């Protein structure tokens, strides 16, 4: 079993709290924006975590493992059963 917990920007976040992960770095044009170049990880509690590119990829990988086809665990390369 994969652990449904990932560390993002010094916070341990349950994967099931993540709604979406930005594909592109934030840009809003505001002069004093401190999030520019960061990737947003949206949480379901009306809050977001901001992280850099490598961490963003790590989050997506963890989500893919966690949300992925459970048949990929265990019998690797097996034919799907119909
Ligand atoms: Zn901004």
């Amino acid at each position: 079993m994969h652990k449904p917990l990932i560390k993002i920007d010094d916070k341990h976040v349950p994967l099931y709290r993540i709604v979406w992960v930005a594909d592109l770095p934030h840009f809003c044009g505001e002069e004093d924006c401190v999030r520019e170049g960061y990737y947003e990880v949206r949480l379901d509690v009306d809050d977001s975590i901001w992280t850099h590119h490598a961490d963003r990829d790590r989050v997506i990988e963890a989500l893919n493992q966690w949300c992925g086809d459970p048949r990929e665990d265990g019998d690797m390369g097996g034919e799907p059963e119909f």
Side-chain angles (χ1 to χ4, degrees):
M1 284 294 284
H2 301 291
K3 277 194 199 163
L5 201 65
I6 189 168
K7 192 176 176 198
I8 311 169
D9 188 31
D10 92 347
K11 298 166 191 74
H12 294 273
V13 181
L15 291 172
Y16 55 79
R17 287 291 189 198
I18 297 174
V19 181
W20 50 256
V21 181
D23 195 44
L24 295 172
H26 174 77
F27 175 79
C28 66
E30 303 262 347
E31 266 181 47
D32 56 351
C33 182
V34 295
R35 308 298 191 191
E36 209 167 294
Y38 282 79
Y39 290 76
E40 185 171 6
V41 178
R42 183 70 184 180
L43 305 181
D44 70 351
V45 286
D46 206 21
D47 195 10
S48 295
I49 292 176
W50 299 82
T51 192
H52 51 83
H53 186 260
D55 244 20
R56 195 281 313 255
D57 287 351
R58 213 165 44 79
V59 174
I60 290 176
E61 194 184 310
L63 281 170
N64 270 323
Q65 284 184 4
W66 186 64
C67 305
D69 190 338
R71 285 175 304 184
E72 285 176 17
D73 287 337
D75 67 329
M76 296 283 278
E79 293 293 319
E81 290 173 37
F82 293 105

